Amino acid sequence: ILLSTMLGKYGNGTSKAIPGHSMPLATSGVFLLWLGWFGFNGGSVLSADPGPVSYVLVTTSLAAAAGIIGAMFMSEIVQKKPDLSMVLNGSLAGLVGITAGADTVSVLSSIIIGAIAGALVVIAVIFIDTKLRIDDPVGALSVHLVCGIWGTLAVGIFSTNPEHSFMIQLIGVAAYGIVAATSAFVIFGILKATIGIRVSEQEEKQGLDIGEHGMESYAGFQVFSNQ
């Protein structure tokens, strides 16, 4: 009921890829995210002690790097080519996957967690797009939902803290899943019934830069988008 898709995304039983305009800029953005991830993962130890903070930075970076490798190999297996967009999502998947346990898992475990997250995100992107037919242009569900669940459960598998267990992590995943899904359904249901949750067809074709800001990101882009 609440899902919307971009115009032309699905047709004749197939999913049409609508790629972004610049892979170099997308790559730069991912590296900025990677750097920024050190900010909040580094704070997960709740202190300024250089030892634990440095340890978290190591596990975080290794997981991201392993996510790239996992996504690259899985993309090669499934798509027969090492898709750059999948590889970029693989690094983010590794970062998401390690976040829950960055300060409680070993260095080797962080690499395993990141690699598995990178492989998972490739499968998830394809499944959500082609099987569930959910229009997720940037793979946010695959990166943050799927790999977030994996990373949370991984704490119960790899944590060096004996107080952490897989069942407790599983209960946590179920609990926040129920709360998040229920809240989102109610909030977006209200928005859809009142102000709406998508723009008009004309505004979508023109581009939201025009509709929302009255200007273009790139000179002449509107001309091409209307052809």
Side-chain angles (χ1 to χ4, degrees), residues 40-88:
F40 59 86
N41 265 20
S44 65
V45 297
L46 303 178
S47 77
D49 189 327
V53 171
S54 298
Y55 184 84
V56 166
L57 300 186
V58 170
T59 57
T60 297
S61 194
L62 287 176
I68 288 177
I69 302 300
M72 184 177 66
F73 276 104
M74 184 57 71
S75 176
E76 180 72 39
I77 293 171
V78 176
Q79 300 177 301
K80 309 306 178 185
K81 290 186 180 296
D83 187 323
L84 176 58
S85 65
M86 291 294 192
V87 169
L88 295 177

Side-chain angles (χ1 to χ4, degrees), residues 150-200:
W150 157 241
T152 304
L153 297 177
V155 174
I157 301 172
F158 296 100
S159 177
T160 56
N161 186 336
E163 295 181 0
H164 296 158
S165 73
F166 181 82
M167 283 307 301
I168 291 176
Q169 297 301 107
L170 183 61
I171 292 171
V173 167
Y176 68 64
I178 292 170
V179 171
T182 303
S183 301
F185 185 85
V186 172
I187 292 170
F188 282 99
I190 293 173
L191 290 174
K192 184 176 182 180
T194 53
I195 63 175
I197 57 174
R198 70 172 300 159
V199 298
S200 66

Side-chain angles (χ1 to χ4, degrees), residues 25-40:
L25 282 180
T27 304
S28 299
V30 166
F31 279 116
L32 288 173
L33 283 170
W34 190 332
L35 176 63
W37 225 277
F38 294 146
F40 59 86

Side-chain angles (χ1 to χ4, degrees), residues 121-144:
V121 78
V122 175
I123 301 300
V125 165
I126 296 172
F127 180 77
I128 289 172
D129 183 42
T130 62
K131 301 300 181 182
L132 298 183
R133 295 174 71 85
I134 295 176
D135 186 9
D136 183 8
V138 297
L141 285 174
S142 303
V143 171
H144 294 280

